[in-house]
Structure formats: structure tokens, C-alpha cells
Amino acid sequence: MYTAPNQTGSGSKSDEQLPSWDLSDLYPSPDSPELKNDLDRARSKVEIFATNWQGNLENASGQEIAMAIDLYQEVSEILGRIGSYAQLIFATDSTDAKNAQFYQYINEQITSISTKTLFFTLELNRISEESMQEKLENSALLAWKPFLDSIRVFRPYQLSDEVEKVLHEKSVTGRTAWSRLYDETLASMQVTVQDEQVTLGEALNKLSSNERLVRENAAKGLGESFNSNLRLFSLITNTLAKDKHITDEWRKFPRVDSERNCDNMIEDEVVDALVNAVTEDYQRLSHRYFRLKAKWLGLEKLQHWDRNAPLPDDNDQIIPWEKAKEIVHTAYHEFNPEMGDMIKEFLDKPWIDATLRPGKSSGAFAHPTVPEVHPYILLNYHGRNRDVMTLAHELGHGIHQILAADQGYIQSNTPLTLAETASVFGEMLTFQSLLRNQKTPEQRRIMLSRKVEDMLNTVVRQIAFYQFERKVHEARQTNELLPEQIGQFWIETQQASLGPAFEFTPEYQSYWTYIPHFIHSPFYVYAYAFGDCLVNALYKVYQDGHENFQEKYIEMLKAGGTKKHKELLAPFGLDASDPAFWRKGLDVISQFIDELEQA
């Protein structure tokens, strides 16, 4: 049985035991017979699958293609289970050589096996639209239409079978290998803060200290560590951006973010409407808020290490883990008892790893694994208010993944834009629950300021990240970028988004290096802003007493990846393609700032 070490870890602010996950619901251990048997079973099934279906899909009936998809899902689910296990072990401690070796071995095995299924989606996409419509008259195949839609959106960009196979097989020594190098470098990084060596996560946590000198020293230590690895991070970024450009050119994607937009099943113009709406609101939102914050902190100018500083009268007391569990469970249960029960199961069982330890992945995530096994949640719990909100966020993902599991392995996955809905909605529920319990105007002001900062981080900061990525990827099409050029793109987008209240010291030019989305998932970041604005509009519908809101909301989550954003939002009277939709979401943030200005 593989269980992460259960310890509080270096840098914890509490003596209480934080939970670590138990991965034995997936496999007993990396060398277990169960895992080996699943690898053998996947190899056997994929041979049968390829023998029966390769070259035969064009003339197959709708019923036969539905049978083929059933078998494809079986193989994909076995590989998904194995891959999840390896990824979660690696996330537990990516500096452990055995974990890294196991992770690489599993990636290579999965790539080798899945290569033999590669023909399937390619051949499905070669079926003409007219022929596919005829086949979809079969009810068994019609049930798979969302899956077919999700792959056929890439039909115009598909390459020959031989090229697709080469790209797939070489990914294990290409993008995957560079991503692993990035992860291992980041996880092993030590940051010097006032002559003390701390992990990256601990140093980042100090940026939220209520002592300005602590924040400044942490910021300078982080800058030194990032700069010492700057050439490596720049090489990784340049290589992956060029790799993407080469593939995009072969596929003839019109924009650097086109592949991501197709994957999200979202139109380019909807993304542009979101980005333009947020950018146009920089002054009304972040610029205005940070002028207020500078005044509250008694500063003429904010430094970058002041961005997440607590207010002077916010002692940001450590919230024990048991209290955090109670806060989040109460918020979900008040909204819907069924969801409260699901949250309790996560909190009572070893499905969460919140322990602080060297080598563990920084940040947080909820990993969906496979439908017959629950998701696993990783976070690094320092006991701050933001950590409680992170717990609420990731549990929202967990609930979404469980509710969508009935759609099956390949149709339960939700596009990124909608995947953030449940998580951000969970944050909003937790925030509103806490806000209702504030007893004084000052406590309310502190809560509101925390929420505004979280929303600005989710909306404004993520759109600035998106604009940074566009600059990098578009510039890399012509030349390799010097670290100074990448740093300049970073400073430009940060200055534009955060506004004149800030000035940036030189070391901040390297702070782009610790954002893992840039490496793992190019252009992922706008999904956060999409989700936050969507949730703001959705929560307003809930507050206005929309009939049967809770039931409709749960049905929306149960849909998984079977419906597009227009279908999912229609029951609530919302339409993301309408520019006014984004204004509704941004207005919520602006109204919170209005209240803070008047406080």
C-alpha cells in the first residue's frame, strides 16, 4: 500500500496532524501484481481493438462504431487509472529518484500502448459529415455524440496517420520530458530567506505575511532562486513554445491559442470577448483596488511583495485544519445537504494530501482518476484564510468529478472553462457563509478585501498571464527569446494589469518562472477567469431566487463533458456568447470594491 508520509512537515504553523492521502484505492504499491496485471490487460485489449477496427471504421455501422467506442473507453480507463497512480506518487515527492523513475516508466508504457489506439480518432475524423450523420441515427452511437463532437472539432487540423503517430510516440522524450525536468527543478528548489533555507512553497507562503520585512526578504530570496535557474527555465520555455509552434504550423491552427480553444469547445470570439472585457476593466477593478490597498497600508507605492499582504488590522490568525474542514463543510451543506454529505466523505477519508513536505508539488489540484475510484486532492495547508478557500475550491472540483462520473471515463471530463465552475462556486459559497457570520463592519471589510484579492487573482491576474503567454508564443515563432525578453513581457503585462499603484524591483522579472501552467498547459489560464465571471453571474441568479436552482446546478455538474457551455447555462437564462454576460460577472467584483471604498 502506497501512503504518503503523514507528517506536518517543515514550515508548518500548527502541531496538528495534517492529512495525507492513501493511494491504495488505485493500487497497493508501484510493484503490485494488480498494476502489472492491468498493464498486461491493456496490452491484450489494445491488440484486439486494433485487429478488429483499424481500417474498418469507414464502412462500419453506427452500432458497430458504438461497440468500438465502448472498447476504446475500456482501454483508456485502464491506462487512466495507471497514469493517475503514477502522477499522484510523483506529486507526493518528485525529488525521490524512485518516484521519478516509476513515473517515467509508466509514461513510456502508456505511450507505447496508447499508440496502437491512435488510429481510432484519426479514422473517425476521416468519416464524412454526411456519413457520420447517417451513422448517428443509431441510438447506441448517438449516446457517444459528445465524444465524437470533441474529437471532430480537430478534424480540420488532423495530420496523416504516420505524422500523428510520430508526434504521439516522441512526446515522451519531448514535451513530457521537458515538463518533468521543470517539475523536478521546481520541487528541489531551496530558497534563502534571512539565512534560512526553506522550500519554494514556504517562501511563497511568506509573501502573505503581515510583516512587511518578512515579505520583502521572501520576495528577494525567491528572486535569487528564480534567477539562479533562469537560463534553464528560459530554455524549457523556448523549447516548448517552439515545439508547439512547429506542430501548430503543421496542423494550420490560425492562432497560438486555437488548440486550447478547440479542446475547451469554445469559440475564439468568446475567448476574445472575455479577454477584452477584463482588460478594459483593469482600471475599474485592480487599479482602483490597489490604490485603496496602498492607502490602507500607508504606502505611496506598493512593491510586488505587497500584493497579497494582509490589511494592517487583519491578523490572519492560523486556522486549524479541523476548523477549516468545519467551515467548508458548513458552507456546502447550507447550500445543498447532498453536496455537504459528499464533502464530508472527502474530509473523513484519506483522499486529501494537505501535509507540508519537501519535494511535494506546490500549489493544489483535484485529480479525477477514473469513475470507479474517487478523485484525490492535493494542497499545501499553511492555515491561512487563502488555504481554506483553496480547500473549498478543490473540493468543488472533487464534487464535480464524482457527479459527472456516471457519464463514463471519456465523457465525464469537462472542458477547462466549465471545469472551474464548481470549484469557484464552492469558493463563493464558503466566502458568503463566512461573510454572513462577521459581527463587525471591520471584520466585514477584511473579508471583502480578501475576497476581492482572490477574485482579482482569478480574473485579472489570469488574463494577464494569458496575455503574457500570447506575447511569448507569438514572439518565439521568429527567434529564440532571451531571458530578458521574456522578463520584459512579464513586466509589461503585470504593470498593465496591476496598475500605477505598483512599482517592480528588478528581481520580479523572473517571477514568471514558477507558474506551472505555462509549461504543462499553454493557455489554460483564461479558464480561471471564465469560471470566476461565470460563477459571479450564476451566483447572482441564485441570490435572486431562481426556481429550483440547486437541482439545476447539480444537473449541470452531472452533465460532465456531454454538453457545451450554451446548453449548460441556458436553464439559468445565461449566455456566455453575449458580451453583457462578462459585464455581469465583472460588476460583482466592482460592487465589492464600491463597498470597500465607502467603508
Side-chain angles (χ1 to χ4, degrees):
M1 178 177 72
Y2 187 92
T3 307
N6 194 0
Q7 58 190 36
T8 306
S10 174
S12 171
K13 303 296 184 184
S14 170
D15 292 331
E16 68 178 339
Q17 286 287 93
L18 293 170
S20 294
W21 54 32
D22 179 349
L23 301 180
S24 60
D25 286 345
L26 289 168
Y27 294 101
S29 67
D31 58 356
S32 65
E34 291 89 341
L35 193 150
K36 182 181 181 300
N37 290 341
D38 271 358
L39 278 172
D40 291 341
R41 193 157 59 98
R43 291 189 192 98
S44 174
K45 283 182 177 289
V46 83
E47 292 294 341
I48 296 169
F49 178 74
T51 301
N52 289 346
W53 298 110
Q54 190 161 8
N56 298 325
L57 290 174
E58 178 71 44
N59 298 318
S61 67
Q63 180 70 40
E64 289 170 331
I65 292 178
M67 291 168 57
I69 297 175
D70 285 338
L71 184 52
Y72 176 78
Q73 177 168 256
E74 282 184 46
V75 174
S76 299
E77 187 163 352
I78 295 169
L79 296 179
R81 184 176 189 142
I82 297 168
S84 293
Y85 183 63
Q87 184 177 341
L88 293 171
I89 283 182
F90 186 65
T92 302
D93 183 0
S94 58
T95 62
D96 185 305
K98 289 185 178 179
N99 289 352
Q101 181 189 46
F102 175 65
Y103 180 59
Q104 183 66 14
Y105 169 73
I106 292 299
N107 275 334
E108 290 176 6
Q109 294 302 306
I110 288 174
T111 300
S112 172
I113 295 168
S114 61
T115 296
K116 295 181 180 178
T117 70
L118 193 60
F119 76 90
F120 188 58
T121 55
L122 302 179
E123 288 192 26
L124 285 174
N125 276 352
R126 283 201 293 270
I127 298 173
S128 71
E129 200 59 39
E130 181 182 3
S131 177
M132 182 59 78
Q133 290 305 315
E134 290 177 5
K135 296 178 192 297
L136 281 167
E137 291 176 8
N138 176 271
S139 59
L141 184 59
L142 187 62
W144 288 111
K145 188 175 184 301
F147 165 68
L148 293 169
D149 287 344
S150 72
I151 61 172
R152 285 173 74 82
V153 73
F154 290 100
R155 195 170 173 230
Y157 314 112
Q158 184 168 296
L159 303 174
S160 69
D161 289 11
E162 292 78 10
V163 174
E164 293 285 2
K165 184 178 179 183
V166 168
L167 290 174
H168 182 71
E169 289 186 335
K170 282 184 68 63
S171 67
V172 75
T173 55
R175 172 168 289 279
T176 302
W178 286 103
S179 296
R180 175 185 162 188
L181 173 61
Y182 173 82
D183 287 343
E184 291 185 9
T185 304
L186 215 59
S188 62
M189 189 179 290
Q190 291 289 303
V191 181
T192 303
V193 182
Q194 290 179 303
D195 299 325
E196 180 189 4
Q197 291 283 305
V198 300
T199 64
L200 175 62
E202 291 174 82
L204 290 169
N205 182 55
K206 290 178 185 292
L207 294 179
S208 298
S209 170
N210 55 13
E211 296 180 35
R212 194 170 193 231
L213 185 59
V214 172
R215 298 197 303 271
E216 181 179 356
N217 287 328
K220 290 180 176 178
L222 285 163
E224 289 172 5
S225 293
F226 295 151
N227 276 301
S228 68
N229 290 279
L230 188 56
R231 289 186 63 189
L232 174 60
F233 288 140
S234 297
L235 175 61
I236 293 171
T237 299
N238 270 292
T239 302
L240 291 178
K242 188 61 179 178
D243 178 77
K244 183 180 183 305
H245 172 55
I246 292 168
T247 307
D248 283 356
E249 279 204 317
W250 274 84
R251 295 191 186 282
K252 295 182 170 54
F253 279 121
R255 300 173 17 156
V256 291
D257 62 340
S258 290
E259 183 178 17
R260 175 64 64 199
N261 298 346
C262 287
D263 199 45
N264 284 340
M265 299 292 285
I266 189 171
E267 303 80 7
D268 289 347
E269 52 269 26
V270 173
V271 176
D272 291 343
L274 166 64
V275 173
N276 291 337
V278 175
T279 304
E280 289 168 7
D281 256 9
Y282 278 170
Q283 290 190 11
R284 186 170 76 118
L285 302 178
S286 49
H287 293 195
R288 185 161 62 115
Y289 174 77
F290 285 116
R291 279 198 303 271
L292 273 177
K293 184 163 189 174
K295 184 177 74 173
W296 293 333
L297 293 176
L299 300 170
E300 286 190 21
K301 285 283 188 180
L302 297 172
Q303 299 294 335
H304 67 87
W305 56 77
D306 297 317
R307 185 172 57 83
N308 288 328
L311 299 191
D313 41 6
D314 180 1
N315 57 17
D316 198 19
Q317 290 183 339
I318 296 301
I319 301 169
W321 174 251
E322 289 302 318
K323 181 62 177 177
K325 288 165 56 177
E326 178 189 337
I327 289 169
V328 176
H329 175 258
T330 298
Y332 275 96
H333 191 270
E334 286 175 347
F335 172 71
N336 181 267
E338 178 187 348
M339 290 177 71
D341 290 344
M342 295 171 71
I343 291 292
K344 190 172 187 303
E345 192 170 21
F346 271 98
L347 297 173
D348 289 348
K349 294 183 176 178
W351 299 355
I352 298 175
D353 192 321
T355 301
L356 309 175
R357 71 174 73 86
K360 180 181 173 181
S361 291
S362 60
F365 61 72
H367 190 94
T369 69
V370 293
E372 68 175 25
V373 180
H374 54 84
Y376 282 94
I377 288 173
L378 177 144
L379 64 151
N380 291 273
Y381 191 77
H382 295 274
R384 297 190 181 277
N385 178 77
R386 281 192 174 89
D387 296 321
V388 178
M389 291 300 171
T390 299
L391 177 62
H393 181 103
E394 300 305 338
L395 284 169
H397 280 308
I399 283 178
H400 197 174
Q401 291 156 4
I402 286 178
L403 288 172
D406 286 345
Q407 302 295 344
Y409 182 70
I410 61 178
Q411 289 194 152
S412 60
N413 290 330
T414 309
L416 295 178
T417 43
L418 297 168
E420 292 302 329
T421 304
S423 54
V424 178
F425 196 85
E427 282 189 73
M428 181 63 87
L429 289 174
T430 304
F431 164 71
Q432 294 287 355
S433 176
L434 287 171
L435 191 65
R436 285 192 296 272
N437 292 320
Q438 299 310 304
K439 296 179 172 58
T440 68
E442 189 53 40
Q443 288 176 331
R444 181 179 176 87
R445 183 173 77 98
I446 290 169
M447 280 295 302
L448 276 177
S449 69
R450 288 174 180 170
K451 182 58 178 173
V452 166
E453 290 193 19
D454 287 342
M455 295 170 99
L456 293 178
N457 284 337
T458 305
V459 178
V460 169
R461 187 164 165 80
Q462 301 302 325
I463 292 302
F465 284 176
Y466 168 84
Q467 291 170 322
F468 166 75
E469 283 190 280
R470 287 204 69 153
K471 284 175 180 283
V472 169
H473 282 266
E474 288 169 357
R476 183 62 184 94
Q477 292 177 356
T478 0
N479 287 305
E480 178 166 297
L481 303 175
L482 296 172
E484 294 79 7
Q485 290 175 278
I486 304 175
Q488 187 57 38
F489 290 150
W490 174 255
I491 290 295
E492 288 170 1
T493 51
Q494 292 296 296
Q495 284 178 330
S497 62
L498 294 175
F502 279 90
E503 62 182 18
F504 298 100
T505 52
E507 81 269 358
Y508 192 63
Q509 287 200 11
S510 62
Y511 267 60
W512 60 270
T513 57
Y514 83 95
I515 311 297
H517 296 93
F518 299 156
I519 303 301
H520 298 302
S521 311
F523 302 103
Y524 180 112
V525 289
Y526 74 72
Y528 288 109
F530 189 109
D532 197 276
C533 289
L534 187 157
V535 164
N536 289 344
L538 200 61
Y539 196 83
K540 183 68 168 62
V541 171
Y542 168 56
Q543 283 184 314
D544 290 344
H546 186 84
E547 188 176 1
N548 298 323
F549 181 92
Q550 284 92 332
E551 291 81 357
K552 290 179 182 178
Y553 178 74
I554 288 174
E555 287 305 309
M556 179 178 74
L557 300 187
K558 284 181 177 179
T562 63
K563 293 182 180 179
K564 299 178 184 176
H565 60 86
K566 286 189 177 182
E567 298 171 273
L568 289 172
L569 294 177
F572 305 98
L574 298 172
D575 179 5
S577 63
D578 180 357
F581 170 82
W582 302 113
R583 178 62 58 190
K584 288 180 183 176
L586 296 172
D587 281 348
V588 172
I589 307 175
S590 183
Q591 286 160 10
F592 284 159
I593 299 173
D594 291 343
E595 183 174 341
L596 287 169
E597 280 185 328
Q598 294 159 14

